[in-house]
Each structure stands twice: as C-alpha cells, then as structure tokens.
Amino acid sequence: MAKAALQGIIQERYEEDEEAAPVPQFGFGMELPSIVYHLLFSRTLIGVQLMVQMEGIASNTQSKGIGQRITNQIRRKERRLRRKIDEEESIQVPRTIKPFQDGDFDHGDQENISPDSQDILSQEVTEILARSYSDLLLCSPNTKGHSGISYCRLTQKEREHAGPAIFKETNLAKIWTQCIVKDGHNDVTAWDAAFETLFPDTLKEKPASGWQNYDNCSYFKHWQALITGLSREDALHVQDLVRSKWNSLLWMPWPRSDRIWLVTSLQTKKISKREFCTMYPLGYSGVGPVLITNPNWQGAEVIFEPEE
C-alpha cells in the first residue's frame, strides 16, 4: 500500500514537473526499469537508492562512478532554488536514520549504503524545509470575486525567495492586508497541531471532498514521498528535526486537514477558542486568513501597523 501510494505521488510529480532532473546515462547493461528512473530522478530523494549496492547492478568500481554522477545531479538541482539556503536552515540527519526500511523499500544490507547517501538525505530534508516557506506564501489565498486580490502584500518574487525571516516578522501589516491571529500562548497545543498538519508523520490521504493548497506545494509532495520511505520511528525523528526549525519562528498558517489556508471571520464557528483570536486591522469585521503564533516565541509581540 505504501509503495503504491508513493509511486503514485512520484509519478504525478514526474509528469507535472518540467524541471525534473535529467536522467544520467549509466552505460550499456545498466539500464533500470522506468519506475526506478521516476523514483530516482523526479527530484524526490535523488539518488538515495543508487547509493545502495543493489543486487546485480554494479561492482564497487561501478557504484563509485554512479555516486559521482548522482553528486553532479545534486549540484544541478541546487541551482534550481530561488535563493541560497542559510547555514542556520541546514538539517543534519543522523546516520541512525535509514531510508527506505519499510517492507516495500528493503534494499538489503545497510552496510552497503555509502556515507554520501546520508548527506543526500540531509540535503533533501533541508531543501524541503527551505521550499516550505515560499510554497506556503505562494499558495496564500486571494479575496473572492472578480478581482481576486491577494491577502498577501508580498510580490511574486518576494514570495518565491521567502525564507524563515518572513515568518519572524512581527509587523504583520508588512505581509497581510488583513488577517486573524490565533494567540498560541492561550492554546499551546494548537501550534504543534498546526505544524503536524503541514508536516505529517505519515502519508496524508486526500479527503474524498478534495483539498486546497496541498497539491500546489512541492515541499508537501516531497515530504510525503520522504516519510513514506522511512520507518515510523525514523519518520518521527525527521519530523522533529524540521519541527525544531519551525519552533524558532513567530507564526505560521493555521491549517485544516483539507486546506492549508483557512479564510474566515471571527463571527463564524470555524475557529476554536475564538476569544483568543484577534482580527487585524483592529475594528475590521470582515474575513481574512488565519495565522497562529508560537507560544514559545521570545521576541517582540505581534503588531499591525501599515506603513504610510
């Protein structure tokens, strides 16, 4: 089941992604089945499997050559990011994390995994985190009606280059025309719940009614493929590594199971503990996207002061 779900995600990504990494040529006698090419080169955990000495595919010398080609693919892949990833964003996955260890992805003896595979896994997790910032802003909602004006003030370029600093901005008027802020200090479990909705520890199935935003976020598809290839224990460990980065931020969307961005008003019952929510600008009675603040934030409080 997990294998079929993962292959479905990767196949869809492979067909949609015009920037899929070019497939290296391994030489005569080393051709792989098409689904393996999809798994390896659809920008999802590029080449982790090839760092494993698979039965009948290559000798030690051949594996080393393949590893070098994979490294070249990774370098090309890095250039596709819109911005440079800061050192503080980097995530180092411990060597105890073993990719593809469920029943569907058993590649044999773990001693045959090259140390480089762990670097590739760390890089993949780091890139998923880096992409999440821009993806979440790029899928932020618009107002209804013919105008379709975005609630987000940032330009397309600013969203594409967004990093963690955006989510530490205390003056929300620089980012939003209007919004509802759910105070995490008064609902301490809600922050963790929001993070776990954006970065679930198991494969997230699309509800029968469909969902909004998730399909438009490349980080989410990559994350789904990643955790599906990890054991339950390892998936929770990697999730906590990403959580530690988000826990340094001030705010994030307050997502639902069927949508990343909830747009509502304080007059509805869609928000639990509405007494701890504030609509900005103050006095505004309309609708806006809902954000949640970090209960452990140590910096300045949220304000909403539009620039003149």
mmCIF file of all heavy atoms in Angstrom, residues 72 102 134 158 177 180 196 250 283 300:
data_model
loop_
_atom_site.group_PDB
_atom_site.id
_atom_site.type_symbol
_atom_site.label_atom_id
_atom_site.label_comp_id
_atom_site.label_asym_id
_atom_site.label_seq_id
_atom_site.Cartn_x
_atom_site.Cartn_y
_atom_site.Cartn_z
ATOM 1 N N ASN A 72 26.752 14.995 -9.191
ATOM 2 C CA ASN A 72 26.594 16.015 -10.227
ATOM 3 C C ASN A 72 25.136 16.414 -10.385
ATOM 4 O O ASN A 72 24.818 17.585 -10.612
ATOM 5 C CB ASN A 72 27.154 15.502 -11.559
ATOM 6 C CG ASN A 72 28.661 15.332 -11.516
ATOM 7 O OD1 ASN A 72 29.333 15.945 -10.692
ATOM 8 N ND2 ASN A 72 29.183 14.484 -12.389
ATOM 9 N N ASP A 102 10.942 0.263 5.212
ATOM 10 C CA ASP A 102 9.704 -0.491 5.389
ATOM 11 C C ASP A 102 9.717 -1.687 4.455
ATOM 12 O O ASP A 102 10.641 -1.914 3.694
ATOM 13 C CB ASP A 102 8.470 0.395 5.176
ATOM 14 C CG ASP A 102 8.301 0.837 3.733
ATOM 15 O OD1 ASP A 102 9.110 0.390 2.887
ATOM 16 O OD2 ASP A 102 7.374 1.611 3.462
ATOM 17 N N SER A 134 8.483 29.410 0.944
ATOM 18 C CA SER A 134 7.956 30.055 -0.257
ATOM 19 C C SER A 134 6.666 29.394 -0.715
ATOM 20 O O SER A 134 5.723 30.073 -1.142
ATOM 21 C CB SER A 134 8.992 30.036 -1.384
ATOM 22 O OG SER A 134 9.405 28.715 -1.678
ATOM 23 N N GLU A 158 9.100 38.178 -4.162
ATOM 24 C CA GLU A 158 9.360 38.127 -2.724
ATOM 25 C C GLU A 158 8.888 36.802 -2.125
ATOM 26 O O GLU A 158 9.539 36.240 -1.246
ATOM 27 C CB GLU A 158 8.665 39.293 -2.023
ATOM 28 C CG GLU A 158 9.339 40.643 -2.275
ATOM 29 C CD GLU A 158 8.533 41.802 -1.738
ATOM 30 O OE1 GLU A 158 7.285 41.692 -1.659
ATOM 31 O OE2 GLU A 158 9.148 42.843 -1.391
ATOM 32 N N THR A 177 -2.836 42.215 4.148
ATOM 33 C CA THR A 177 -3.773 43.345 4.137
ATOM 34 C C THR A 177 -4.714 43.255 5.330
ATOM 35 O O THR A 177 -5.119 44.261 5.900
ATOM 36 C CB THR A 177 -4.596 43.352 2.845
ATOM 37 O OG1 THR A 177 -5.325 42.105 2.733
ATOM 38 C CG2 THR A 177 -3.712 43.532 1.629
ATOM 39 N N ILE A 180 -6.441 37.168 10.680
ATOM 40 C CA ILE A 180 -6.834 36.796 12.036
ATOM 41 C C ILE A 180 -5.643 36.100 12.683
ATOM 42 O O ILE A 180 -5.024 35.222 12.074
ATOM 43 C CB ILE A 180 -8.055 35.858 12.034
ATOM 44 C CG1 ILE A 180 -9.285 36.602 11.497
ATOM 45 C CG2 ILE A 180 -8.328 35.318 13.427
ATOM 46 C CD1 ILE A 180 -10.505 35.705 11.327
ATOM 47 N N GLU A 196 2.154 19.778 12.633
ATOM 48 C CA GLU A 196 1.986 18.379 12.246
ATOM 49 C C GLU A 196 0.994 18.211 11.106
ATOM 50 O O GLU A 196 1.014 17.185 10.416
ATOM 51 C CB GLU A 196 1.566 17.564 13.475
ATOM 52 C CG GLU A 196 2.691 17.425 14.481
ATOM 53 C CD GLU A 196 2.246 16.874 15.824
ATOM 54 O OE1 GLU A 196 1.065 16.484 15.929
ATOM 55 O OE2 GLU A 196 3.072 16.852 16.767
ATOM 56 N N LEU A 250 7.861 32.856 14.448
ATOM 57 C CA LEU A 250 6.795 33.540 15.197
ATOM 58 C C LEU A 250 5.409 33.038 14.813
ATOM 59 O O LEU A 250 4.550 32.866 15.672
ATOM 60 C CB LEU A 250 6.890 35.051 14.979
ATOM 61 C CG LEU A 250 5.727 35.906 15.491
ATOM 62 C CD1 LEU A 250 5.525 35.701 16.995
ATOM 63 C CD2 LEU A 250 5.963 37.378 15.174
ATOM 64 N N GLY A 283 -10.762 46.416 14.596
ATOM 65 C CA GLY A 283 -12.038 47.009 14.244
ATOM 66 C C GLY A 283 -12.612 46.495 12.936
ATOM 67 O O GLY A 283 -13.787 46.725 12.640
ATOM 68 N N ALA A 300 9.638 40.151 20.166
ATOM 69 C CA ALA A 300 8.598 41.169 20.304
ATOM 70 C C ALA A 300 7.232 40.594 19.927
ATOM 71 O O ALA A 300 7.129 39.610 19.188
ATOM 72 C CB ALA A 300 8.928 42.371 19.419
#
